[in-house]
Amino acid sequence: MPPEDYYDYIVVGGGTAGCPLAATLSENFRVLVLERGGVPYTNPNLMSQDGFLTSLMEADPYDSPAQTFTSEDGVANARGRVLGGSSAINAGFYSRADEDFYKKSGLKWDLHIVNQSYEWVERAVVFRPELKNWQSAVRDGLLEAGVDPYRGFILDHAVGTKIGGSTFDSSGRRHTAADLLGYAKATNIRVAVHASVERILLAPTSALSGSKQSAIGVVYRDRIGRYHHAMVRENGEVILSAGAIGTPQLLLLSGIGPRSYLSSWGIPVVHHLPYVGQFLYDNPRNGISIVSPIPLEHSLIQVVGITNLGAYIEAASNVIPFASPARSVFIRTPSSPLYLTVATLMEKIIGPLSSGSLQLASTDIKVNPLVRFNYFADPLDLERCVSGMRKVGDVLRSRSMEEFKFREWFGGQDFRFVGPALPVNQSNDAQMAEFCHRTVSTIWHYHGGCIVGKVVDSDHQVLGIDALRVVDGSTFNVSPGTNPQATLMMLGRYIGIKITKERMR
């Protein structure tokens, strides 16, 4: 890449929203995508369904496609650092947003363009999954537990039990938001990988506008540390699509945020915007895992139970290596690892209502910020977890789950749990609430930090700054539907169409 170049649109973050956004804008404008990670296609674990867990576990601080971090709540988490973003490291489930999302988002949606945008995404990266034994049993168990009606295979959000779409094709190969760059006009787009944006460049909008600032470009570094300037042409924009962690972090490092907080870091204040990094949400995940007495396929999320209790129920089955105790005198360490098939039933609550915040850990963009989500701070979130886990208990008691029990010595049958089992008395509110607190983990659907009405307006433009937008999940005050990737890919296409129409007018 040249030391300096000019574009109509600079998209910071080649992720789940950034790739479809850039592809759409490139139909009419010159676009640059700046992605801090590498290319996914050469990584076999990343590109296959079977490599899902390995990709999450084989993480390092600076280069791996999955960047792991632990929130201040003590919960391990991950974010995508690769072209395609978190769509390249997730479990592949594809389901459109619920109607409430559109009502609560603070945006005015043109639902005709929304549906066209979903279809544009689905033609390229969405497939119908083939259910095998665990996912089929979970589907039947959900219906026995009263999560009805049965919707069959459907991409729309609807109460009941359904099979959703998958971004893994029939051979188990992953498709990501990066595939949507195939729609781009090749002569109009440049995609830079291993490009870390360090700062948004800002300048006074005009002599007449007083103190109002405009985004005029960005400074980024390449893999060997050289600096580059990407600048916007007249009427162009910088668009941040770096996600719920990357986008607020970059705004803060560029001097856009709470004045006193920025000053405490020695960052020159360009624009006082007090809610950057605030209202950060993560949907808590709770569940149980069992060892199966029968062979199970490797499956990621394919079936979902959409309850009317404020909780969604999903399932997965994975083959995981089991290591014998180190230096055991009784167990001879096998030359090849032993493998266990573990099946999981989990629930995710809607919303959530509890929110946290993001703070800088360093002025180095490569150092992950400190984040706190405050899981279950709102009592309604905890109530929903309790209701969801009771429904998981109902599924475990269904006839469909009988074949996954082990026979006991005296003729009984029971599950062999890996990790905590549900309380025996599931009608006890206090025990169920304690289970939710003790077993909380993430389903990687964190969002917020730059929400509509606080940091951006209803056109996704940063309040008080010209030529700067945010198009990603950091603008969401609620998680869309059961799983957000469908809505984020739709959002990129949708905003790309809207910007193009505005410019054409």
Side-chain angles (χ1 to χ4, degrees), residues 57 104 162:
M57 288 157 64
K104 292 177 181 172
K162 72 168 212 172

Side-chain angles (χ1 to χ4, degrees), residues 9-246:
Y9 293 95
I10 298 165
V11 177
V12 179
T16 315
C19 287
L21 172 65
T24 302
L25 291 171
S26 76
E27 292 165 21
N28 295 282
F29 307 105
R30 187 163 194 246
V31 180
L32 172 66
V33 180
L34 295 170
E35 168 51 46
R36 69 195 183 118
V39 176
Y41 301 109
T42 55
N43 185 320
N45 282 326
L46 210 58
M47 296 310 295
S48 79
Q49 184 171 294
D50 292 353
F52 168 70
L53 281 180
T54 308
S55 295
L56 282 180
M57 288 157 64
E58 289 183 351
D60 63 63
Y62 292 108
D63 276 320
S64 56
Q67 180 182 8
T68 55
F69 65 96
T70 300
S71 71
E72 299 294 284
D73 316 88
V75 174
N77 214 316
R79 54 190 286 220
R81 179 173 47 198
V82 63
L83 193 65
S86 292
S87 75
I89 63 169
N90 68 14
F93 193 69
Y94 182 99
S95 185
R96 295 181 179 190
D98 55 302
E99 284 184 20
D100 259 12
F101 168 77
Y102 302 110
K103 292 173 191 165
K104 292 177 181 172
S105 66
L107 303 168
K108 292 183 189 128
W109 295 92
D110 180 329
L111 292 179
H112 177 65
I113 300 176
V114 165
N115 287 327
Q116 282 185 334
S117 300
Y118 275 127
E119 288 163 7
W120 180 87
V121 170
E122 288 152 13
R123 283 195 294 274
V125 298
V126 182
F127 305 87
R128 179 173 181 161
E130 181 191 345
L131 266 55
K132 294 189 179 165
N133 46 4
W134 176 241
Q135 295 287 333
S136 297
V138 169
R139 174 197 60 196
D140 298 344
L142 284 165
L143 292 167
E144 284 182 65
V147 186
D148 44 27
Y150 179 50
R151 303 283 185 174
F153 172 67
I154 181 174
L155 299 179
D156 286 323
H157 186 96
V159 171
T161 295
K162 72 168 212 172
I163 302 167
S166 176
T167 52
F168 292 101
D169 63 25
S170 58
S171 66
R173 182 174 171 80
R174 183 193 290 278
H175 296 260
T176 77
D179 294 25
L180 300 173
L181 292 170
Y183 281 123
K185 185 175 179 182
T187 53
N188 269 356
I189 193 167
R190 297 201 82 180
V191 180
V193 291
H194 302 292
S196 290
V197 176
E198 301 213 333
R199 194 167 81 255
I200 305 158
L201 297 170
L202 298 137
T205 298
S206 70
L208 301 174
S209 70
S211 62
K212 193 164 191 191
Q213 300 278 314
S214 228
I216 59 167
V218 300
V219 177
Y220 68 97
R221 292 178 86 166
D222 61 27
R223 197 169 196 176
I224 60 170
R226 288 176 304 197
Y227 282 100
H228 302 256
H229 288 69
M231 311 300 288
V232 293
R233 294 169 170 172
E234 189 177 355
N235 297 322
E237 293 180 21
V238 173
I239 305 176
L240 306 185
S241 297
I245 291 174

